[in-house]
Structure formats: C-alpha cells, structure tokens
Amino acid sequence: MKNIAKKIAVLSMVGMMQIGFGASVIEASPLHNQPPVQEQDDRHDNHDQGQDRHERERAERERHEREMRRRPHEGEREWHERQNRENERHEENLRRIAHDILDLIHD
C-alpha cells in the first residue's frame, strides 16, 4: 500500500510539472502575445492608405489635365512655358504622394 501511495504522489508531481512547463511555453508563445484583431486592423489601415493614395493621385491627375489645356487668351510660347512649369510641378506632387505613402508604411 505504501508503494502505491508513493507512485501516486510521484506521478502526480510529474504531471503537475508537465502542466506547469506547458503553461509557461504557451505563455511565452509569440502567437499568444499578439491579438488577431490588431493584425486585422493593420490590413484595414493599409487598405485605407491605398485608397487615400489612389484618391490623391486621381485628384492630381485631374488638376494636371485642366492646367495643361491651352487657355483662350494664351499665346503659343506662353502656353509651352506654362506646360513645362506644370509638368515639373506635377512630377513633384506625384513624388510627394509616393514619399508620404512610404513614410506611412515604414511607421
């Protein structure tokens, strides 16, 4: 009877040690530390940033098209000078939009 009691006590302690070890491994698991809701929010944020970028690019392209049209009172030389300035401004705005998006992604 004493042998059975000793075996039960030893096996109970071994079982409790295994449970404790398993609990510490689960607690240290990286999957346990981050809630899945945060990952879902990140995907939505990226989607929103993409939509914002597309909207800003579309607005810039529309503005550029309006500015590139020749005005009724404008001479040929003035029109070409304004086109050159507008092309430079348009390229700078597109670079700024792309830079802003990259900054958001890296943050």
Side-chain angles (χ1 to χ4, degrees):
M1 187 73 176
K2 288 185 179 185
N3 284 337
I4 293 176
K6 287 180 185 178
K7 288 180 182 178
I8 290 175
V10 169
L11 291 176
S12 295
M13 288 184 168
V14 169
M16 291 179 77
M17 287 174 51
Q18 287 180 342
I19 291 172
F21 180 71
S24 64
V25 168
I26 290 172
E27 197 63 33
S29 170
L31 295 176
H32 181 71
N33 291 338
Q34 290 182 343
V37 175
Q38 183 178 3
E39 293 172 6
Q40 185 178 10
D41 289 341
D42 289 345
R43 284 183 285 165
H44 289 299
D45 289 344
N46 288 340
H47 181 67
D48 292 342
Q49 290 170 1
Q51 283 183 338
D52 182 47
R53 175 180 178 222
H54 291 300
E55 178 62 29
R56 289 174 62 189
E57 285 179 350
R58 184 191 60 75
E60 172 58 24
R61 284 193 177 94
E62 286 177 0
R63 187 201 61 77
H64 179 68
E65 286 179 25
R66 281 192 312 272
E67 291 296 319
M68 291 300 283
R69 292 188 195 117
R70 186 173 180 176
R71 296 180 180 148
H73 65 281
E74 198 169 34
E76 189 77 23
R77 185 173 47 95
E78 294 167 337
W79 180 46
H80 287 296
E81 287 174 2
R82 190 171 55 81
Q83 279 182 325
N84 288 336
R85 286 191 311 268
E86 176 54 34
N87 281 332
E88 290 173 6
R89 180 180 175 193
H90 178 66
E91 289 175 9
E92 178 61 30
N93 285 342
L94 290 179
R95 278 194 295 270
R96 192 175 305 127
I97 290 169
H99 185 268
D100 291 346
I101 295 302
L102 289 175
D103 282 346
L104 289 173
I105 291 171
H106 291 291
D107 287 341

